[in-house]
Short mmCIF file of all heavy atoms in Angstrom, two decimals:
data_model
loop_
_atom_site.label_atom_id
_atom_site.label_comp_id
_atom_site.label_asym_id
_atom_site.label_seq_id
_atom_site.Cartn_x
_atom_site.Cartn_y
_atom_site.Cartn_z
N ILE A 190 96.97 123.09 -4.44
CA ILE A 190 95.84 124.07 -4.63
C ILE A 190 95.84 124.84 -3.31
O ILE A 190 95.65 124.24 -2.23
CB ILE A 190 94.62 123.26 -4.98
CG1 ILE A 190 94.80 122.41 -6.19
CG2 ILE A 190 93.48 124.30 -5.10
CD1 ILE A 190 93.53 121.83 -6.65
N THR A 191 95.71 126.17 -3.43
CA THR A 191 95.94 127.07 -2.26
C THR A 191 94.70 127.99 -2.22
O THR A 191 94.19 128.52 -3.25
CB THR A 191 97.26 127.64 -2.24
OG1 THR A 191 97.52 128.38 -3.41
CG2 THR A 191 98.31 126.67 -1.96
N PRO A 192 94.35 128.52 -0.99
CA PRO A 192 93.28 129.44 -0.81
C PRO A 192 93.74 130.91 -0.82
O PRO A 192 95.00 131.19 -1.00
CB PRO A 192 92.80 129.10 0.58
CG PRO A 192 94.08 128.71 1.25
CD PRO A 192 95.05 128.08 0.31
N TRP A 193 92.87 131.84 -0.58
CA TRP A 193 93.12 133.32 -0.73
C TRP A 193 93.55 133.89 0.61
O TRP A 193 93.93 135.14 0.61
CB TRP A 193 91.92 133.96 -1.31
CG TRP A 193 90.67 133.62 -0.59
CD1 TRP A 193 89.75 132.77 -1.06
CD2 TRP A 193 90.14 134.07 0.71
NE1 TRP A 193 88.73 132.66 -0.17
CE2 TRP A 193 88.99 133.51 0.93
CE3 TRP A 193 90.70 135.08 1.76
CZ2 TRP A 193 88.12 133.68 1.96
CZ3 TRP A 193 89.98 135.21 2.76
CH2 TRP A 193 88.71 134.56 3.04
N LYS A 217 97.88 125.68 -8.22
CA LYS A 217 96.79 126.52 -8.62
C LYS A 217 96.46 127.39 -7.50
O LYS A 217 95.73 126.99 -6.56
CB LYS A 217 95.65 125.62 -9.10
CG LYS A 217 94.53 126.50 -9.69
CD LYS A 217 93.21 125.99 -9.41
CE LYS A 217 92.58 126.53 -8.12
NZ LYS A 217 92.26 128.05 -8.19
N PRO A 218 96.73 128.75 -7.52
CA PRO A 218 96.37 129.47 -6.39
C PRO A 218 94.77 129.92 -6.58
O PRO A 218 94.26 129.71 -7.62
CB PRO A 218 97.20 130.76 -6.62
CG PRO A 218 97.48 130.88 -8.09
CD PRO A 218 97.48 129.30 -8.53
N ALA A 219 94.29 130.57 -5.49
CA ALA A 219 92.86 131.02 -5.63
C ALA A 219 92.79 132.11 -6.51
O ALA A 219 93.56 132.94 -6.61
CB ALA A 219 92.45 131.47 -4.20
N SER A 220 91.66 132.17 -7.17
CA SER A 220 91.51 133.28 -8.35
C SER A 220 91.25 134.65 -7.71
O SER A 220 91.58 135.51 -8.33
CB SER A 220 90.10 132.84 -9.07
OG SER A 220 90.16 131.60 -9.58
N GLU A 221 91.00 134.74 -6.42
CA GLU A 221 90.90 136.02 -5.80
C GLU A 221 92.23 136.73 -5.61
O GLU A 221 92.47 137.85 -5.64
CB GLU A 221 90.21 135.98 -4.38
CG GLU A 221 88.79 135.66 -4.45
CD GLU A 221 88.56 134.00 -4.40
OE1 GLU A 221 89.54 133.20 -4.70
OE2 GLU A 221 87.47 133.68 -4.00
N THR A 250 88.85 127.49 -12.34
CA THR A 250 89.10 126.60 -11.16
C THR A 250 88.76 125.12 -11.41
O THR A 250 89.49 124.16 -11.19
CB THR A 250 88.39 127.14 -10.04
OG1 THR A 250 88.86 128.37 -9.64
CG2 THR A 250 88.36 126.22 -8.78
N ARG A 251 87.55 124.91 -12.00
CA ARG A 251 86.97 123.50 -12.11
C ARG A 251 87.76 122.79 -13.09
O ARG A 251 88.21 121.50 -13.06
CB ARG A 251 85.62 123.48 -12.44
CG ARG A 251 84.77 123.96 -11.19
CD ARG A 251 83.37 123.33 -11.21
NE ARG A 251 82.95 123.98 -9.98
CZ ARG A 251 81.56 124.16 -9.70
NH1 ARG A 251 80.76 123.78 -10.82
NH2 ARG A 251 81.16 124.55 -8.73
N GLY A 254 91.32 122.17 -11.71
CA GLY A 254 91.16 121.17 -10.70
C GLY A 254 90.95 119.82 -11.18
O GLY A 254 91.45 118.73 -10.84
N GLY A 255 89.98 119.79 -12.29
CA GLY A 255 89.71 118.55 -12.83
C GLY A 255 90.88 117.84 -13.51
O GLY A 255 91.11 116.58 -13.30
N PHE A 268 96.13 120.07 -0.69
CA PHE A 268 95.15 121.19 -0.86
C PHE A 268 95.00 121.92 0.39
O PHE A 268 95.03 121.25 1.51
CB PHE A 268 93.86 120.54 -1.18
CG PHE A 268 92.58 121.28 -1.18
CD1 PHE A 268 92.35 122.43 -2.07
CD2 PHE A 268 91.65 121.26 -0.24
CE1 PHE A 268 91.32 123.24 -2.08
CE2 PHE A 268 90.56 122.06 -0.08
CZ PHE A 268 90.40 123.10 -1.08
N THR A 269 94.77 123.26 0.37
CA THR A 269 94.35 123.94 1.61
C THR A 269 93.15 124.68 1.18
O THR A 269 93.28 125.53 0.18
CB THR A 269 95.50 125.01 2.16
OG1 THR A 269 96.66 124.13 2.51
CG2 THR A 269 94.95 125.67 3.33
N GLY A 270 92.03 124.46 1.93
CA GLY A 270 90.83 125.18 1.61
C GLY A 270 89.61 124.74 2.49
O GLY A 270 89.92 124.25 3.56
N SER A 271 88.47 124.92 2.00
CA SER A 271 87.33 124.42 2.67
C SER A 271 87.14 122.96 2.78
O SER A 271 87.74 122.23 1.90
CB SER A 271 86.11 125.06 2.13
OG SER A 271 85.90 124.53 0.73
N VAL A 274 85.19 121.74 -0.40
CA VAL A 274 85.96 121.45 -1.65
C VAL A 274 87.13 120.37 -1.41
O VAL A 274 87.27 119.61 -2.33
CB VAL A 274 86.66 122.82 -2.10
CG1 VAL A 274 87.60 122.66 -3.23
CG2 VAL A 274 85.60 123.84 -2.47
N ILE A 277 85.43 117.24 -2.32
CA ILE A 277 85.14 117.01 -3.79
C ILE A 277 86.43 116.67 -4.43
O ILE A 277 86.38 115.63 -5.31
CB ILE A 277 84.71 118.48 -4.39
CG1 ILE A 277 83.34 118.93 -3.87
CG2 ILE A 277 84.59 118.43 -5.89
CD1 ILE A 277 82.85 120.36 -4.39
N LEU A 278 87.62 117.25 -4.05
CA LEU A 278 88.81 116.83 -4.61
C LEU A 278 89.22 115.57 -4.28
O LEU A 278 89.81 114.80 -5.16
CB LEU A 278 89.90 117.96 -4.23
CG LEU A 278 89.68 119.44 -4.79
CD1 LEU A 278 90.67 120.33 -4.20
CD2 LEU A 278 89.72 119.44 -6.15
N GLN A 281 87.44 113.26 -6.60
CA GLN A 281 88.01 113.33 -7.88
C GLN A 281 89.39 112.60 -7.89
O GLN A 281 89.75 112.11 -9.13
CB GLN A 281 88.28 114.85 -8.32
CG GLN A 281 86.87 115.50 -8.59
CD GLN A 281 87.08 116.99 -8.88
OE1 GLN A 281 88.22 117.47 -9.25
NE2 GLN A 281 86.04 117.67 -9.06
N PHE A 424 84.75 132.67 9.78
CA PHE A 424 85.64 133.39 8.83
C PHE A 424 85.44 134.99 8.69
O PHE A 424 85.33 135.52 7.58
CB PHE A 424 85.69 132.67 7.48
CG PHE A 424 86.88 132.17 6.97
CD1 PHE A 424 87.51 131.26 7.81
CD2 PHE A 424 87.61 132.60 5.92
CE1 PHE A 424 88.80 130.55 7.48
CE2 PHE A 424 88.86 131.94 5.48
CZ PHE A 424 89.32 131.01 6.24
P1 ADP B 7 87.93 129.17 0.62
O1 ADP B 7 86.73 129.12 1.51
O2 ADP B 7 89.25 129.41 1.28
O3 ADP B 7 87.83 130.03 -0.68
P2 ADP B 7 87.82 126.97 -1.19
O4 ADP B 7 87.91 125.70 -0.68
O5 ADP B 7 86.61 127.40 -1.78
O6 ADP B 7 88.27 127.75 0.09
O7 ADP B 7 88.93 127.28 -2.16
C1 ADP B 7 90.35 126.84 -1.94
C2 ADP B 7 91.12 126.61 -3.19
O8 ADP B 7 90.40 125.60 -3.89
C3 ADP B 7 91.02 127.87 -4.16
O9 ADP B 7 92.22 127.86 -4.89
C4 ADP B 7 89.90 127.47 -5.11
O10 ADP B 7 89.90 128.14 -6.43
C5 ADP B 7 89.98 126.00 -5.13
N1 ADP B 7 88.84 125.38 -5.63
C6 ADP B 7 87.54 125.45 -5.31
N2 ADP B 7 86.78 124.63 -5.96
C7 ADP B 7 87.59 123.78 -6.64
C8 ADP B 7 87.37 122.80 -7.56
N3 ADP B 7 86.13 122.20 -7.70
N4 ADP B 7 88.48 122.11 -8.06
C9 ADP B 7 89.67 122.61 -7.81
N5 ADP B 7 89.90 123.59 -6.93
C10 ADP B 7 88.97 124.17 -6.47
#
Side-chain angles (χ1 to χ4, degrees):
I190 301 183
T191 51
W193 47 261
K217 193 215 85 68
S220 303
E221 294 88 342
T250 293
R251 292 212 177 150
F268 170 75
T269 299
S271 62
V274 173
I277 294 171
L278 295 176
Q281 290 180 7
F424 242 59

